[in-house]
Amino acid sequence: MRVAVFSTKPYDRDFFDRANAAHGHRLDYHEAHLSAATTALIDGAEAVCPFVNDRIDADVLRAMADAGCRLVALRSAGFNNVDLAAAAALGIAVARVPAYSPNAVAEHTLALILTLNRKIHRAYARVREGNFALDGLLGFDLAGKTAGIVGTGKIGLIAARILAGFGCRLVGYDPFPSAEGRALGIEYTTFAELLPQADIVTFHCPLTPETRHLLDAAAVKRLKPGAMIVNTSRGAIIDTRAAIAGLKSGQIGSLGLDVYEEEADLFFEDLSGQVIHDDVFARLLTFPNVVITGHQGFFTQEALTAIAETTLANLTAFERDGTPLHPVTVEKIA
Ligand code: NAI
């Protein structure tokens, strides 16, 4: 079938072209985000394939319906950017890639933890300048420290397993505690009780109305003073202004982010020649104890291969049966 693929980069095209050899769909690649302003690019396609920062709102869905386009095939696990109720009302199916490589994101979480703890970002810059002084690079042993895992699903459990391998004690918060988590040694508790115990708090829960600004000013106050915070989940789980206040007071000892609540205007683009207009983000960049990556947790060969294969399998199943392999339904958000 004909598919309009939005927000594409050269690496997306490489992985999709390779996987499409087994499917034979016609893929029209567009660099533009999918939004109400770009629906003209659908241009006869029967499905759209958007990415995490495309907004598939009621206007976009109405334009799709008018153009006879019947499927939103997300190439992501998260679906917080689709108006599912509007899609259902218009008879547009929504599909996603429920799991591609939880290892990729869990391992990136550890990359942030180790970088922040042993100050690799600063050491790298110093050594290149011929500065071999160690002042300011002091870290701590992970062995024996307490790691708090918020959300113990696929990614959280792998992060927990790796942290257990470092000799960390594990505490966890999840409305649905997992037996596998308990077997790994996770001691489940409430979010409020997790905060004062953890030397490291890492977020692996989805963005929902309940988790929006889960780490707010009140939660920052409850942290163990000097705690490390890591978020590879979705940006809006952390109230960035509260985190900045926590960094300034020392209540937050270090902060590692792969996601940011206003990332849609920044991430995935080369803005190195431009002025950044987001003053909150610009303030974050000034801290020596903050490391930010631009939503690259998923960015491994294994994950990109799995994303392309599952997305194309969704399209093929929809073309054959009228239902994608991994549908997202309104009940999923209830
Ligand atoms: P998952 O669905 O396997 O696990 C999510 C867990 O969070 C579940 O156990 C669920 O019960 C729990 N949860 C739900 N509400 C919660 C709450 N209020 N408080 C605490 N926990 C709660 O999802 P998976 O695959 O582990 O992914 C986790 C998140 O990672 C995704 O929602 C997505 O936002 C993010 N992600 C980030 C990527 C990146 O590149 N940085 C790539 C892929 C996913």
Side-chain angles (χ1 to χ4, degrees):
M1 65 196 285
R2 200 170 146 193
V3 187
V5 190
F6 286 86
S7 300
T8 57
K9 300 288 180 195
Y11 47 82
D12 293 311
R13 298 169 197 201
D14 286 349
F15 282 88
F16 269 78
D17 284 345
R18 223 173 297 153
N20 196 31
H23 293 269
H25 296 295
R26 173 176 159 183
L27 305 177
D28 298 336
Y29 294 116
H30 302 291
E31 279 179 39
H33 286 310
L34 176 56
S35 72
T38 59
T39 50
L41 294 171
I42 294 170
D43 186 29
E46 298 153 82
V48 295
C49 179
F51 197 45
V52 287
N53 290 328
D54 294 332
R55 299 251 72 84
I56 304 94
D57 57 18
D59 288 343
V60 168
L61 291 159
R62 262 193 299 275
M64 282 179 63
D66 291 346
C69 183
R70 298 169 299 132
L71 173 66
V72 178
L74 294 165
R75 53 182 197 281
S76 61
F79 48 86
N80 51 289
N81 51 339
V82 185
D83 185 336
L84 292 180
L90 290 161
I92 294 175
V94 181
R96 67 176 183 134
V97 183
Y100 33 94
S101 174
N103 297 301
V105 185
E107 290 171 15
H108 191 71
T109 303
L110 264 293
L112 290 173
I113 291 173
L114 292 169
T115 301
L116 287 169
N117 179 27
R118 305 307 295 266
K119 283 76 177 173
I120 302 299
H121 55 304
R122 303 186 65 198
Y124 172 80
R126 275 190 199 185
V127 168
R128 285 175 66 95
E129 291 290 318
N131 175 357
F132 305 104
L134 299 183
D135 291 348
L137 303 184
L138 192 65
F140 55 81
D141 284 9
L142 281 175
K145 295 296 181 301
T146 299
I149 321 278
V150 182
T152 58
K154 292 181 285 294
I155 296 170
L157 282 180
I158 295 173
R161 188 177 303 127
I162 301 172
L163 287 161
F166 275 93
C168 290
R169 173 185 166 234
L170 303 174
V171 290
Y173 167 63
D174 194 306
F176 305 98
S178 97
E180 203 183 326
R182 287 208 171 91
L184 281 171
I186 298 178
E187 301 162 35
Y188 280 99
T189 181
T190 61
F191 182 62
E193 291 308 314
L194 176 148
L195 295 172
Q197 297 183 55
D199 300 286
I200 300 166
V201 180
T202 178
F203 289 90
H204 301 290
C205 50
L207 177 61
T208 63
E210 292 75 46
T211 60
R212 191 183 173 76
H213 288 184
L214 189 57
L215 192 81
D216 58 8
V220 169
K221 271 205 195 94
R222 287 192 64 81
L223 287 169
K224 188 167 176 173
M228 176 190 293
I229 305 295
V230 176
N231 186 12
T232 57
S233 188
R234 282 290 181 267
I237 285 165
I238 292 184
D239 175 349
T240 314
R241 287 185 166 79
I244 288 173
L247 285 160
K248 286 165 78 175
S249 71
Q251 182 70 358
I252 294 178
S254 57
L255 176 67
L257 300 177
D258 187 48
V259 286
Y260 168 62
E261 50 185 329
E262 303 299 336
E263 71 178 50
D265 294 334
L266 297 168
F267 286 5
F268 306 119
E269 303 302 331
D270 179 359
L271 304 181
S272 53
Q274 296 183 32
V275 170
I276 289 183
H277 287 268
D278 181 334
D279 290 349
V280 174
F281 187 78
R283 180 67 179 100
L284 276 179
L285 293 177
T286 67
F287 291 97
N289 49 350
V290 172
V291 170
I292 304 175
T293 52
H295 206 140
Q296 70 176 77
F298 72 100
F299 201 58
T300 65
Q301 297 194 20
E302 291 77 4
L304 291 195
T305 302
I307 288 170
E309 286 176 353
T310 308
T311 303
L312 291 163
N314 271 330
L315 292 161
T316 299
F318 182 79
E319 188 175 37
R320 192 185 52 225
D321 312 326
T323 320
L325 215 51
H326 302 287
V328 185
T329 53
V330 184
E331 302 81 66
K332 281 232 160 67
I333 49 170

